[in-house]
Amino acid sequence: MTLQGIFETARSGLNSTKAGIAVAGNNISNANTENYSRQRVILETKDPQLNRSGGGFIGAGNQISGIKRLNNNYIEKQINESYKKFSNHEEKSVFLKQIEDVFNEMEDGDGLSDLMSRFFNEFRKLSLEPNNLALRQSLQEAGQSVIDYFFRTNQILTQIVQNLDKKIEGYVQNINELVSNIINLNKEIFRLEQSGNGDPNDLIDKRDLAIKKLGSFFDISLHPDKSGMVEVDLNGAGLLLSSSSKNEELKFSRGAGDLYLNGHNESVSSLIQGGKLGAIFEFRNKILPEIFEKLDNLAFNLSHYVNEIHQKGVALNGQRGICFFEPLLKKDKASQNINLSHMVLSDLQFISAALDENSPGDNRVALALSNLQNKKLMGDERFTLDEWYHSILSDIATMVSKNESALHQENDMMIQFEKIRNQISGVSIDEETAYLMQLQHSFDASAKVMQFADEVLGTVLQIKR
Amino acid sequence: MLRVTENMNYDLLRDNISKSRERLGNLQRQESTMKKLKQPSDNPTAAIEILELRNEKKRNEQYDLNNYLVEMSLQNLDFLLEDLSSTVMRLKEISLNQSNSMNFSSDLRANMADEVDQLFGSAVAIVNRRFGNRYLMSGYKVETPCVNSNGDYQGDSGQVMIEVSKDVFIPINIPGSSVFNLQSMDQNDLKTVNLFEEIKKLKQALLDGDCDKVRGQLVKFDQLYSKIISVRAQVGSRVQVLHQISQSMDRQRISNAELNSQLEDVDLAQVLSDLNREEVIFKNALASSNKLVQPTLLDFLK
């Protein structure tokens, strides 16, 4: 062991302490960075040197073997999963609440339930005085307001679909940005790892965050490869990005509501599940069409059965076979197309309340029409019109309340996982400060060793004088 | 050893405060609206039940109106039948008196014939009575008088039914033909006896001084009288049914209101005490945040 060797040993101490201080400093400054994992310097002893004066090996100080990211892969996966579910419920919550508002009748008002009640009550009133024109007028108006409601609801729901499409476009843009971001990080991580200086921890954290965000949009599967790059797979539909760095862009076509991977002709919409985008697609392509269908059924059956009876009746002017509603040819879009027949609109006399001709007091048709309210006309004769409409409301309400409780639960889970992650990877300022103090002392001590060696060397040099 | 980092503490604090705020907001809304439910999803089953009760209420309001109308109409019908029955009663008296030729002169009979003529007119007026602008005894032809001046029936046999409760219909009229027409066995022949025809026959018999015929009319009027009385009883029983229905509807109204209140209205005492408790929790959460954000080691490094 030479004197220079002692200098060397002290210097290695100073170096590693300096690195430690830098890492602790980095930790402190990133204490609030999203998804940051705290880092530690891993030290090891240098290879010992043989003491020439005999007596064996003497240690030669320390060296940095690497800088490690303290992080648990399993928890990260859990968080990603939980975050995806949370995002899904959160996104759904927005739309479901919107729909619930459209159909909210809890505050007394002019919901369809009330309007239909009024409509049938008008027939009851007409049955008291079938030849009264004022009653006919108010029946016509009640019918018109039912139609207006269908029309308005239809418009609002269509508007919602349009807003959804805009939102999907926005999300697709986000996704494409995230994908190209991950590709860049992949390349950078690959390059740095090839240099053989260990893992670029901060970049890996960044990529983890980008993947977590990407995963919040839909189900993806990850395939890490040996070179340190990650391939991302869209649920079997094809690679969103691969290690060969080929960038697949998502494209959204409005109207049909289909999503395409660049260069492929097949829609991947049906493969989009989970996450925010999954929520929107489920809502747009499953929940909303079901509501539309039920509304259409309601409008169709209402007009069909009212017409069926009304046609048997005879109008004040003796004419028979008049439709109350304009006859609908198909159930599809019935809630949009339902309308009063032009005859009833043009002349109140055409409202047929009687069964016999020249019988102004005959109210049998009006009675039969008012009785439709109690008839099981919907869903294979299992529900009345009211019950059918209420079942739409009940479906929506149940979906909202289920989704809300799932949202709360997932939120709690996420907080719990974040807590565990923080336990492992989070930065504690106190801890880092204590570590800094420890490093400060080591730095002082190593410096002292160097000073000591310097003095010893001075003594040696003075021998010559 | 469990590591506790600053971020964990802050996350916990944020979560607690926001949850407490949410609960406070919800309770506050309940207090100010006095309703448990704001949107159906607060309790889907209760929400649908409330809507159904509301529909029923609307329907019942209409039935109440119908009830009132039916009762008025039946009352009018009852008055009409009462008047008609006293007219027939008077005709019976006249036929009884005049069936004995010994007692009376032809002058008196002429007077009686005059009265019978008057009674004919008043019977026509009685059966042509209206309720509102509707003839009560014309069946569905509510715009046509029941009989013309000759006593010919101009209505039809329609019974105007009104729904007074779900699926319960009560007729509000009685077609005149079923009141002043009846089938009677006359020497093994089924013959129709018509009030107005019989009055005309009585008058003619009086003018002719035909005692036997007058006596014969007495039987007819007897039959007609009991027919009218039985129709009156029919109207009376309709009124009774109506009363029963409106009573049961009253009971239903009360129980529906109770159920609705149970589903929809808040228990104010409960909400207020919950609100107070939540307020204390919220304040404590804020106060304890002070403790949670404790001084760090840095504060002691000078």
Side-chain angles (χ1 to χ4, degrees), chain A residues 54-81:
Chain A
F57 291 96
I58 293 176
N62 70 9
Q63 64 186 14
I64 298 168
S65 80
I67 292 171
K68 200 183 148 203
R69 196 163 68 112
L70 291 164
N71 145 304
N72 182 328
N73 247 332
Y74 176 69
I75 291 295
E76 298 291 333
K77 266 186 197 156
Q78 298 266 5
I79 287 180
N80 284 358
E81 189 60 26

Short mmCIF file of all heavy atoms in Angstrom, two decimals, chain A residues 54-81:
data_model
loop_
_atom_site.label_atom_id
_atom_site.label_comp_id
_atom_site.label_asym_id
_atom_site.label_seq_id
_atom_site.Cartn_x
_atom_site.Cartn_y
_atom_site.Cartn_z
N GLY A 54 4.08 -6.95 3.20
CA GLY A 54 3.66 -8.23 3.76
C GLY A 54 2.49 -8.07 4.69
O GLY A 54 2.16 -6.97 5.12
N GLY A 55 1.89 -9.15 4.94
CA GLY A 55 0.80 -9.10 5.93
C GLY A 55 -0.58 -9.19 5.31
O GLY A 55 -1.55 -9.07 6.03
N GLY A 56 -0.73 -9.38 3.98
CA GLY A 56 -2.06 -9.63 3.39
C GLY A 56 -2.63 -8.47 2.60
O GLY A 56 -1.90 -7.59 2.17
N PHE A 57 -3.97 -8.49 2.43
CA PHE A 57 -4.65 -7.51 1.56
C PHE A 57 -5.21 -6.37 2.36
O PHE A 57 -5.78 -6.56 3.44
CB PHE A 57 -5.79 -8.21 0.81
CG PHE A 57 -5.29 -9.20 -0.21
CD1 PHE A 57 -5.18 -10.55 0.09
CD2 PHE A 57 -4.90 -8.75 -1.47
CE1 PHE A 57 -4.72 -11.45 -0.84
CE2 PHE A 57 -4.45 -9.66 -2.41
CZ PHE A 57 -4.35 -11.01 -2.10
N ILE A 58 -5.08 -5.19 1.80
CA ILE A 58 -5.68 -4.03 2.44
C ILE A 58 -6.76 -3.48 1.52
O ILE A 58 -6.57 -3.38 0.31
CB ILE A 58 -4.62 -2.95 2.71
CG1 ILE A 58 -3.62 -3.47 3.75
CG2 ILE A 58 -5.26 -1.64 3.19
CD1 ILE A 58 -2.48 -2.55 4.01
N GLY A 59 -7.88 -3.12 2.11
CA GLY A 59 -8.99 -2.61 1.30
C GLY A 59 -8.63 -1.31 0.60
O GLY A 59 -7.79 -0.54 1.08
N ALA A 60 -9.23 -1.07 -0.54
CA ALA A 60 -8.87 0.10 -1.34
C ALA A 60 -10.06 1.06 -1.48
O ALA A 60 -10.27 1.67 -2.51
CB ALA A 60 -8.39 -0.34 -2.70
N GLY A 61 -10.88 1.15 -0.43
CA GLY A 61 -11.99 2.11 -0.50
C GLY A 61 -13.24 1.53 -1.15
O GLY A 61 -13.35 0.32 -1.30
N ASN A 62 -14.14 2.39 -1.55
CA ASN A 62 -15.39 1.87 -2.11
C ASN A 62 -15.63 2.37 -3.53
O ASN A 62 -14.93 3.25 -4.03
CB ASN A 62 -16.57 2.21 -1.21
CG ASN A 62 -16.87 3.69 -1.22
OD1 ASN A 62 -16.32 4.43 -2.04
ND2 ASN A 62 -17.72 4.13 -0.31
N GLN A 63 -16.61 1.79 -4.15
CA GLN A 63 -17.04 2.28 -5.46
C GLN A 63 -18.55 2.08 -5.59
O GLN A 63 -19.16 1.29 -4.87
CB GLN A 63 -16.30 1.54 -6.57
CG GLN A 63 -16.62 0.06 -6.60
CD GLN A 63 -15.75 -0.67 -7.62
OE1 GLN A 63 -14.75 -0.13 -8.10
NE2 GLN A 63 -16.11 -1.89 -7.92
N ILE A 64 -19.14 2.83 -6.52
CA ILE A 64 -20.58 2.75 -6.70
C ILE A 64 -20.91 1.61 -7.64
O ILE A 64 -20.42 1.56 -8.76
CB ILE A 64 -21.11 4.06 -7.30
CG1 ILE A 64 -20.83 5.21 -6.33
CG2 ILE A 64 -22.59 3.99 -7.61
CD1 ILE A 64 -21.02 6.57 -6.91
N SER A 65 -21.70 0.65 -7.14
CA SER A 65 -22.02 -0.46 -8.03
C SER A 65 -23.26 -0.15 -8.87
O SER A 65 -23.49 -0.74 -9.91
CB SER A 65 -22.25 -1.74 -7.24
OG SER A 65 -23.54 -1.75 -6.70
N GLY A 66 -24.04 0.78 -8.39
CA GLY A 66 -25.21 1.12 -9.19
C GLY A 66 -26.14 2.05 -8.43
O GLY A 66 -25.98 2.26 -7.23
N ILE A 67 -27.09 2.61 -9.16
CA ILE A 67 -28.09 3.42 -8.49
C ILE A 67 -29.43 2.75 -8.71
O ILE A 67 -29.85 2.51 -9.84
CB ILE A 67 -28.08 4.86 -9.03
CG1 ILE A 67 -26.76 5.51 -8.60
CG2 ILE A 67 -29.26 5.64 -8.48
CD1 ILE A 67 -26.50 6.83 -9.22
N LYS A 68 -30.08 2.38 -7.57
CA LYS A 68 -31.24 1.50 -7.66
C LYS A 68 -32.52 2.27 -7.42
O LYS A 68 -32.55 3.22 -6.63
CB LYS A 68 -31.07 0.40 -6.61
CG LYS A 68 -31.90 -0.81 -6.90
CD LYS A 68 -31.73 -1.83 -5.77
CE LYS A 68 -33.01 -2.62 -5.59
NZ LYS A 68 -33.10 -3.18 -4.26
N ARG A 69 -33.54 1.86 -8.13
CA ARG A 69 -34.87 2.43 -7.96
C ARG A 69 -35.61 1.53 -6.99
O ARG A 69 -35.69 0.32 -7.19
CB ARG A 69 -35.56 2.37 -9.32
CG ARG A 69 -36.77 3.21 -9.51
CD ARG A 69 -36.99 3.31 -11.00
NE ARG A 69 -37.38 2.00 -11.51
CZ ARG A 69 -38.60 1.73 -12.00
NH1 ARG A 69 -39.51 2.67 -12.06
NH2 ARG A 69 -38.90 0.52 -12.44
N LEU A 70 -36.14 2.09 -5.90
CA LEU A 70 -36.85 1.26 -4.93
C LEU A 70 -38.32 1.19 -5.35
O LEU A 70 -39.05 2.19 -5.26
CB LEU A 70 -36.74 1.84 -3.53
CG LEU A 70 -35.32 1.73 -2.98
CD1 LEU A 70 -35.14 2.62 -1.80
CD2 LEU A 70 -35.02 0.29 -2.64
N ASN A 71 -38.70 0.05 -5.85
CA ASN A 71 -40.03 -0.02 -6.44
C ASN A 71 -40.48 -1.47 -6.53
O ASN A 71 -39.67 -2.37 -6.65
CB ASN A 71 -39.88 0.73 -7.77
CG ASN A 71 -40.69 0.21 -8.89
OD1 ASN A 71 -40.58 -0.96 -9.24
ND2 ASN A 71 -41.47 1.08 -9.48
N ASN A 72 -41.78 -1.68 -6.36
CA ASN A 72 -42.30 -3.04 -6.38
C ASN A 72 -43.21 -3.22 -7.58
O ASN A 72 -44.26 -2.60 -7.70
CB ASN A 72 -43.07 -3.29 -5.08
CG ASN A 72 -43.59 -4.69 -5.00
OD1 ASN A 72 -43.93 -5.31 -6.01
ND2 ASN A 72 -43.65 -5.22 -3.79
N ASN A 73 -42.77 -4.08 -8.48
CA ASN A 73 -43.49 -4.28 -9.72
C ASN A 73 -44.93 -4.73 -9.53
O ASN A 73 -45.82 -4.32 -10.24
CB ASN A 73 -42.78 -5.36 -10.54
CG ASN A 73 -42.20 -4.75 -11.79
OD1 ASN A 73 -42.74 -3.76 -12.28
ND2 ASN A 73 -41.11 -5.30 -12.26
N TYR A 74 -45.11 -5.58 -8.54
CA TYR A 74 -46.43 -6.13 -8.29
C TYR A 74 -47.41 -5.01 -7.94
O TYR A 74 -48.52 -4.92 -8.49
CB TYR A 74 -46.35 -7.16 -7.17
CG TYR A 74 -47.68 -7.72 -6.79
CD1 TYR A 74 -48.38 -8.54 -7.67
CD2 TYR A 74 -48.26 -7.41 -5.56
CE1 TYR A 74 -49.61 -9.04 -7.33
CE2 TYR A 74 -49.49 -7.91 -5.22
CZ TYR A 74 -50.16 -8.73 -6.10
OH TYR A 74 -51.39 -9.21 -5.77
N ILE A 75 -46.96 -4.11 -7.02
CA ILE A 75 -47.83 -3.00 -6.62
C ILE A 75 -48.12 -2.08 -7.80
O ILE A 75 -49.25 -1.62 -8.00
CB ILE A 75 -47.18 -2.20 -5.47
CG1 ILE A 75 -47.16 -3.05 -4.20
CG2 ILE A 75 -47.92 -0.89 -5.22
CD1 ILE A 75 -48.53 -3.37 -3.67
N GLU A 76 -47.08 -1.85 -8.61
CA GLU A 76 -47.28 -0.99 -9.79
C GLU A 76 -48.39 -1.54 -10.67
O GLU A 76 -49.24 -0.83 -11.17
CB GLU A 76 -45.99 -0.87 -10.61
CG GLU A 76 -44.82 -0.24 -9.88
CD GLU A 76 -45.00 1.24 -9.60
OE1 GLU A 76 -45.72 1.90 -10.37
OE2 GLU A 76 -44.44 1.73 -8.60
N LYS A 77 -48.35 -2.87 -10.86
CA LYS A 77 -49.38 -3.50 -11.70
C LYS A 77 -50.76 -3.32 -11.09
O LYS A 77 -51.73 -3.03 -11.79
CB LYS A 77 -49.08 -5.00 -11.84
CG LYS A 77 -48.27 -5.31 -13.08
CD LYS A 77 -48.14 -6.81 -13.24
CE LYS A 77 -47.02 -7.11 -14.21
NZ LYS A 77 -46.45 -8.44 -14.00
N GLN A 78 -50.81 -3.51 -9.77
CA GLN A 78 -52.09 -3.35 -9.08
C GLN A 78 -52.63 -1.94 -9.26
O GLN A 78 -53.82 -1.72 -9.49
CB GLN A 78 -51.92 -3.61 -7.58
CG GLN A 78 -51.48 -5.00 -7.25
CD GLN A 78 -52.67 -5.87 -6.94
OE1 GLN A 78 -53.79 -5.44 -7.06
NE2 GLN A 78 -52.42 -7.11 -6.55
N ILE A 79 -51.71 -0.97 -9.12
CA ILE A 79 -52.13 0.42 -9.25
C ILE A 79 -52.65 0.68 -10.66
O ILE A 79 -53.71 1.30 -10.84
CB ILE A 79 -50.97 1.38 -8.91
CG1 ILE A 79 -50.71 1.37 -7.41
CG2 ILE A 79 -51.27 2.79 -9.38
CD1 ILE A 79 -49.60 2.25 -6.97
N ASN A 80 -51.93 0.19 -11.63
CA ASN A 80 -52.36 0.40 -13.02
C ASN A 80 -53.75 -0.18 -13.26
O ASN A 80 -54.61 0.45 -13.86
CB ASN A 80 -51.37 -0.24 -13.99
CG ASN A 80 -50.11 0.58 -14.12
OD1 ASN A 80 -50.01 1.65 -13.51
ND2 ASN A 80 -49.15 0.10 -14.88
N GLU A 81 -53.94 -1.39 -12.75
CA GLU A 81 -55.22 -2.07 -12.91
C GLU A 81 -56.34 -1.26 -12.25
O GLU A 81 -57.38 -1.00 -12.83
CB GLU A 81 -55.11 -3.46 -12.27
CG GLU A 81 -56.27 -4.39 -12.54
CD GLU A 81 -56.48 -4.65 -14.03
OE1 GLU A 81 -55.51 -4.55 -14.82
OE2 GLU A 81 -57.63 -4.93 -14.39
#
